[in-house]
Amino acid sequence: MEPRLPNQGAAATGGRDDFAARLETEGLAILSDRPFTLTPRETALLSPAFSDGRAKNISLGAAQGVRGAAAAGASAESLAALMERFAAWAEALVSELAPRYAASLERGRTSFRTRSVDEPAASARKDDRRLHVDAFASQPTGGRRILRVFCNINPIGEPRVWLVGEPFEAYARRWFGRARRPWPGEAWLLRRLGITKAPRTRYDALMLALHDAAKLDKTYQRHAPRRQVSFPAGASWIVYTDSTVHAAIAGRYALEQTFYLPVSAMAAPEASPLRILEKMVGGILC
Ligand code: SIN
Ligand code: FE
C-alpha cells in the first residue's frame, strides 16, 4: 500500500524517488501498514519500571550505550537489544522507501518513550507539548537534516497524538528578526567546555533560537495554526522534525530513531531549513 501523507495532493503516485521528494516538501509520512512488531519478551519491557524516573526517555547511542534506564543486568541488555533491533528496522525502512538516502543516512540516538506525553516537562524549552521544530542544544547538525522514524507500540491501543503547525518558512519568518546573534567566540567556547559535541554553526544557533522562541511564546502556543494528527497504535511515521512544526500532546510507548542526512542527499535541497534560512539571511550559514 502506498504510504499516506497528510495533505496528500495529486502527487500521490509514482516511483521511489517520489517518496523522498514528497517527504521533503510535506515533512511527514504516516505508514499505517508498516508496524514494528514486538516479541512477547519485548512486550514485557513496556513498563514504567525500567525508566530511571529522571530522563525523559530511555535511549541508546553508539558512544554512550543505554541511558535513562533503571534496569540492570538482563533487563538492560533486553532494552538495548530492542532499541538496536528497532534502529536497524528503521534504517531498512527509510532505505527501502527513499533509496537515494540509503548511503548517506547517519544513525543518531534511538529512544524508547515509556512515559506518558502528559507528564510535566523539566522546563518550557524541554516541553515537547509546545509547538516547535527540533534543534538540539548539545548536538549541532551543521546543516544536516533531522529525520526521525517513530512507531507507536502502545499495547492497549492508545493513539499518539501530535499537533502539526504551519510550514517551516512561515514559522521561521516569525522569529527570524528576533533571533539572538551568537557573540564572537561563543561557538568555540561551547565546544571547548564540552557543551556542544560539534561546533555550533550559525545555522545551528539560528535553529536553536527558532526552537526556543516558539516554545517560550505563550501567545504563539495558544493561537498558532495547527491541525491534530493521530497516530494509531501500530502506526509508524517518518518525519523531518527540523522543518515540521510539531507538538506531542497525548500517548505513551513509542520507539524513535533519529537519522542525520546531508542536504546534498535530498531530492529537493531547496526545501531544507538550511537553504530556506540562507535565502532569508542572504548568505551562507555553515
Ligand atoms: C518531539 O519530538 O517533540 C516529541 C515527539 C513524540 O515523542 O511523540
Ligand atoms: Fe520535537
Side-chain angles (χ1 to χ4, degrees):
M1 199 179 109
E2 185 74 13
R4 186 164 61 85
L5 294 174
N7 285 342
Q8 184 169 301
T13 52
R16 289 286 169 85
D17 247 20
D18 255 28
F19 181 86
R22 283 168 51 211
L23 184 63
E24 290 165 17
T25 47
E26 305 201 359
L28 168 65
I30 305 175
L31 314 173
S32 44
D33 58 350
R34 298 299 295 265
F36 175 77
T37 311
L38 300 190
T39 65
R41 275 167 162 262
E42 288 170 337
T43 305
L45 298 169
L46 299 179
S47 156
F50 296 111
S51 162
D52 70 3
R54 292 187 305 274
K56 200 155 69 172
N57 308 308
I58 298 174
S59 68
L60 179 73
Q64 306 97 330
V66 176
R67 282 201 314 217
S75 309
E77 276 168 34
S78 310
L79 287 167
L82 167 62
M83 288 187 276
E84 184 52 51
R85 191 168 82 76
F86 179 73
W89 177 87
E91 187 165 343
L93 180 70
V94 174
S95 303
E96 176 200 333
L97 295 172
R100 65 175 301 123
Y101 294 170
S104 316
L105 280 178
E106 188 190 318
R107 254 193 223 184
R109 295 195 76 77
T110 315
S111 66
F112 177 33
R113 302 177 177 224
T114 57
R115 293 204 181 186
S116 169
V117 166
D118 296 338
E119 284 182 37
S123 68
R125 277 191 184 79
K126 290 193 173 140
D127 190 352
D128 291 337
R129 296 169 302 178
R130 299 173 187 222
L131 289 162
H132 66 284
V133 292
D134 285 351
F136 308 132
S138 63
Q139 189 88 63
T141 74
R144 290 171 302 161
R145 304 301 314 270
I146 301 173
L147 183 62
R148 296 181 127 173
V149 177
F150 287 83
C151 186
N152 179 0
I153 51 169
N154 188 282
I156 54 167
E158 290 171 344
R160 199 170 190 88
V161 184
W162 281 19
L163 301 175
V164 173
E166 62 198 328
F168 178 80
E169 187 158 354
Y171 171 90
R173 283 200 189 283
R174 278 179 200 273
W175 315 111
F176 178 65
R178 290 191 244 165
R180 179 181 76 86
R181 271 187 160 255
W183 32 264
E186 182 171 331
W188 174 84
L189 189 64
L190 290 170
R191 183 86 188 93
R192 187 67 205 255
L193 295 174
I195 294 170
T196 52
K197 296 189 180 78
R200 186 184 286 174
T201 64
R202 269 185 81 195
Y203 168 78
D204 293 299
L206 191 48
M207 288 296 283
L208 207 51
L210 301 183
H211 167 273
D212 290 357
K215 277 192 173 172
L216 296 176
D217 190 312
K218 289 207 174 82
T219 309
Y220 182 74
Q221 292 301 326
R222 208 166 299 137
H223 299 294
R226 86 274 317 269
R227 65 199 157 88
Q228 193 165 303
V229 180
S230 186
F231 306 106
S236 305
W237 58 108
I238 305 180
V239 52
Y240 275 116
T241 54
D242 55 356
S243 62
T244 302
V245 178
H246 63 284
I249 57 164
R252 165 168 232 160
Y253 295 121
L255 281 160
E256 172 272 333
Q257 176 62 45
T258 300
F259 295 101
Y260 299 101
L261 187 82
V263 165
S264 58
M266 294 174 65
E270 68 281 2
S272 65
L274 176 63
R275 295 286 174 256
I276 291 172
L277 292 174
E278 284 186 336
K279 218 168 58 192
M280 272 181 213
V281 178
I284 302 288
L285 286 173
C286 27

